[in-house]
Amino acid sequence: MQIAAELADTARVTLATRAWVKFAAQRILGRDLHFWTARSGLGTAPLGRFLARPPAQPVLDDGRYRAALAAGRPDRRPLFTGADGSKVVWPDGQREEVDAIVLATGYRPDLPYLAGLDGALHEGGDPRHREDLATGVSGLAFVGLEWQRSLSSNSLRGVGRDAERIARRLAAQLALR
């Protein structure tokens, strides 16, 4: 959303998404939302293991992104279903010439190269893990996943903490060999 809104200041931009854009207030009671997640402990609470499917991350907004979307800058449409040369194909079959496509796909894992490791992935391709370590493949661990351990696991604030934890756990496993 942020990239699309900035580009829409100088070009015609369409934001193609799988679902409607969800917003969360950037500032609450005069403080940034990150202050509150840190102060409350929500940013580091190990809640990820209790979530069968992580909730979608909202766009943190001070009001400008919601206003830009409401003004049609950028325009929002359902995700296109294909691309053919310099045209995208929309769900209704309409083809539209485009100059560029910027893929901002977020932090969803795409790990087809692990499919051959029995037990590494769930049927849908998501990592199969418990507390960061792969449940079916010894020595394999994951870092940077959405809600892997906490709300901040896929952010610069949390990935380092999770990586340190994983390194300690893997070292302990190796020491037992």
Side-chain angles (χ1 to χ4, degrees):
M1 179 66 222
Q2 292 94 335
I3 294 167
E6 288 182 27
L7 289 173
D9 286 340
T10 59
R12 191 176 129 241
V13 175
T14 298
L15 177 66
T17 63
R18 288 184 179 91
W20 289 103
V21 179
K22 294 180 179 143
F23 295 98
Q26 177 76 46
R27 298 186 68 76
I28 299 171
L29 300 174
R31 296 285 193 137
D32 189 272
L33 182 63
H34 294 105
F35 168 85
W36 293 113
T37 59
R39 179 61 62 104
S40 68
L42 180 61
T44 57
L47 302 174
R49 65 180 149 192
F50 301 113
L51 301 172
R53 183 137 185 99
Q57 298 284 350
V59 173
L60 298 184
D61 187 20
D62 61 8
R64 79 181 109 170
Y65 300 126
R66 190 184 306 256
L69 204 55
R73 294 183 338 263
D75 175 40
R76 190 252 164 216
R77 293 180 72 170
L79 187 62
F80 52 89
T81 58
D84 182 15
S86 61
K87 294 182 180 182
V88 294
V89 181
W90 296 107
D92 63 4
Q94 177 188 1
R95 294 176 181 282
E96 182 179 1
E97 186 87 23
V98 296
D99 293 322
I101 297 173
V102 177
L103 295 173
T105 59
Y107 299 100
R108 300 274 192 243
D110 184 19
L111 306 168
Y113 46 86
L114 295 179
L117 289 175
D118 190 34
L121 304 174
H122 288 284
E123 191 173 305
D126 290 333
R128 177 178 270 161
H129 68 95
R130 175 123 178 105
E131 299 281 321
D132 316 324
L133 298 177
T135 55
V137 181
S138 179
L140 177 63
F142 300 96
V143 68
L145 302 174
E146 215 172 20
W147 280 97
Q148 179 171 339
R149 187 158 164 72
S150 69
L151 171 64
S152 62
S153 285
N154 69 335
S155 72
L156 292 175
R157 294 183 332 273
V159 73
R161 179 185 59 248
D162 287 358
E164 286 177 20
R165 183 174 180 281
I166 291 168
R168 284 192 307 271
R169 294 185 73 204
L170 287 173
Q173 278 186 356
L174 289 172
L176 295 175
R177 287 186 181 175

